[in-house]
Amino acid sequence: MGVMSTALAAVDLDDMPHDFRLAMRNLAAGVSIVTTGEGRGRAGLTATSVNSLSIDPPCLLVCIGRASGTLAALQKNRSFGVSVLDAGQQAIAERFAGNGGQHGAARFNGFDWTTGVTGAPLAEGALSAFDCTLETLVEWHSHAIVVGRVRSVHTNEGAAPLTYWRGGYGSFDPQAG
Ligand SMILES: Cc1cc2nc3c(=O)[nH]c(=O)nc-3n(C[C@H](O)[C@H](O)[C@H](O)COP(=O)(O)O)c2cc1C
């Protein structure tokens, strides 16, 4: 891999996954949760890989590890919700990343939920929530690219988004313009 600038250190090709992860830590991202299912069948995970894909029709994508329990549930349900977390919702992000050791429906305890038209759970208080049906899923090496067709959208005022950078949570603070 070529060195693009004298200020950037080249990575060791023999340890690409490690170095790739390390370099990706510099990509600041908003934090969302991806949720699916009903009642005791609910599942969800924290994700930074959420992106807008197309506007007309509205579609989004999220990249999910193939070992994810949420991915399996989402494939079965054919629908999912994406809740874009507010800066005050770090506890939800940590829970849905599995940091408390909970899996599946147990991750939902103690937080407030609403149900989208597709039946997917959406987090109350999220800055935005997208209620999606599963349109396409493409397995790509370790992960799957999940494409959702957005069926309904919810937005909140909220003050600031929850962000993630270099392994830590933060919040976006716009520069005064
Ligand atoms: C800030 C943050 C962002 C994450 N983004 C993703 C992601 O985009 N895709 C993914 O598959 N896992 C991501 N993870 C890891 C999952 O949230 C975690 O592995 C989760 O426990 C998977 O749950 P599941 O196996 O029950 O689906 C992220 C974790 C954190 C803390």
Side-chain angles (χ1 to χ4, degrees), residues 17-29 48 163-169:
H18 172 262
D19 291 326
F20 177 66
R21 275 177 199 263
L22 217 58
M24 272 295 177
R25 284 164 58 89
N26 283 329
L27 180 62
T48 46
T163 57
Y164 197 71
W165 183 68
R166 289 191 177 167
Y169 292 96

Side-chain angles (χ1 to χ4, degrees), residues 22-46:
L22 217 58
M24 272 295 177
R25 284 164 58 89
N26 283 329
L27 180 62
V31 182
S32 301
I33 55 166
V34 178
T35 47
T36 187
E38 293 178 48
R40 292 160 63 91
R42 285 176 295 178
L45 87 171
T46 298

Side-chain angles (χ1 to χ4, degrees), residues 29-34 43-50 62-73 93-99 102-104 107 142-144 162-165 167-169:
V31 182
S32 301
I33 55 166
V34 178
L45 87 171
T46 298
T48 46
S49 61
V50 173
V62 53
C63 302
I64 303 181
R66 286 172 64 179
S68 157
T70 306
L71 182 67
E94 287 173 0
R95 173 80 66 79
F96 280 79
N99 293 345
Q102 290 99 336
H103 290 279
R107 289 185 182 170
S142 58
H143 280 60
L162 183 64
T163 57
Y164 197 71
W165 183 68
Y169 292 96

Side-chain angles (χ1 to χ4, degrees), residues 134-152:
L134 176 60
E135 193 158 279
T136 308
L137 189 151
V138 184
E139 291 188 344
W140 206 266
H141 303 297
S142 58
H143 280 60
I145 304 166
V146 175
V147 175
R149 176 78 167 263
V150 179
R151 302 297 177 180
S152 74

Side-chain angles (χ1 to χ4, degrees), residues 45-108:
L45 87 171
T46 298
T48 46
S49 61
V50 173
N51 258 293
S52 168
L53 177 60
S54 64
I55 304 293
D56 190 10
C59 291
L60 56 74
L61 69 78
V62 53
C63 302
I64 303 181
R66 286 172 64 179
S68 157
T70 306
L71 182 67
L74 177 158
Q75 281 183 273
K76 188 167 140 275
N77 298 329
R78 311 293 302 175
S79 66
F80 62 95
V82 174
S83 302
V84 178
L85 298 182
D86 178 87
Q89 295 179 310
Q90 186 177 327
I92 300 185
E94 287 173 0
R95 173 80 66 79
F96 280 79
N99 293 345
Q102 290 99 336
H103 290 279
R107 289 185 182 170
F108 291 73

